[in-house]
Amino acid sequence: WRDASAGLPDKPVTSIVLDAKSPMDARVLYASCFESGVYKSTNGGRNWSVKSKGLGVPENIRTCRLIIHPDDTIFSLVTSPTKGVKHVTGAGLYRSQDRGDSWQWINSSQPLHWPKDFDVDPRDSRVIYLGAGDLYGPEGGLYKTEDGGEKWRRIAREGPETFGATINPKFP
């Protein structure tokens, strides 16, 4: 084992993804650091740089999961502070189509105060499932978009917290 945290903040790393298309001698990695955003390494983790422009808001950048889609789109989930806070901003699902240089909030048409987890269809990055919990009211459940986030619909609610769904790549 070796320390691969040069340039990362002293925060929990909640997700690391590898760009499998990157060359073996210059592996590209992305890491979500809770309360600090997304970081990128272009040298297999030896050094990291912040890649959080447009991700969350300064007072909430609690990134908790990353996915790189086969079409090179990167997705990051920013969750909320713990229950009981008076006002939550920045929480949601974000997309980067320029390798992390900028991020777009993609569930703005269906804001959720406590998003918990998500998955993206490996065949179509426009098809996304997003789980959420109740924070200020009964908004928890499993949501789905088929158009990349323009429209969302709740497809399941079995209580106050839904963590997410996993898409079976062989049987959608």
Side-chain angles (χ1 to χ4, degrees):
W1 293 94
R2 67 175 177 81
D3 184 356
S5 62
L8 290 177
D10 189 20
K11 298 287 184 179
V13 175
T14 55
S15 184
I16 298 175
V17 293
L18 163 71
D19 180 349
K21 296 175 184 174
S22 61
M24 292 289 283
D25 61 343
R27 284 298 199 188
V28 174
L29 302 167
Y30 296 88
S32 59
C33 296
F34 200 67
E35 297 181 336
S36 293
V38 172
Y39 289 74
K40 180 179 181 179
S41 173
T42 57
N43 58 13
R46 288 188 297 280
N47 301 99
W48 296 87
S49 59
V50 66
K51 292 291 182 178
S52 298
K53 181 181 177 185
L55 188 62
V57 294
E59 60 273 9
N60 181 16
I61 194 163
R62 290 171 174 85
T63 55
C64 62
R65 177 130 191 251
L66 293 169
I67 291 177
I68 297 179
H69 192 271
D71 71 5
D72 296 326
T73 304
I74 306 168
F75 294 89
S76 179
L77 183 67
V78 175
T79 193
S80 296
T82 58
K83 284 185 172 183
V85 297
K86 294 185 192 266
H87 184 66
V88 172
T89 59
L93 187 59
Y94 292 80
R95 170 179 54 221
S96 175
Q97 295 178 305
D98 56 10
R99 305 197 181 282
D101 288 336
S102 63
W103 295 88
Q104 173 193 17
W105 182 32
I106 62 170
N107 69 299
S108 61
S109 66
Q110 178 64 61
L112 298 167
H113 293 97
W114 196 15
K116 298 175 113 357
D117 199 7
F118 72 100
D119 203 1
V120 182
D121 190 318
R123 292 165 300 277
D124 185 349
S125 65
R126 296 173 301 160
V127 178
I128 306 165
Y129 295 84
L130 177 60
D134 291 349
L135 189 62
Y136 298 127
E139 66 182 23
L142 183 64
Y143 292 81
K144 180 180 182 182
T145 183
E146 297 180 81
D147 59 10
E150 294 294 320
K151 293 179 289 220
W152 292 84
R153 62 188 169 94
R154 184 163 52 185
I155 61 171
R157 179 173 165 87
E158 296 294 329
E161 294 185 39
T162 300
F163 281 86
T166 299
I167 300 168
N168 183 324
K170 294 184 181 179
F171 304 104

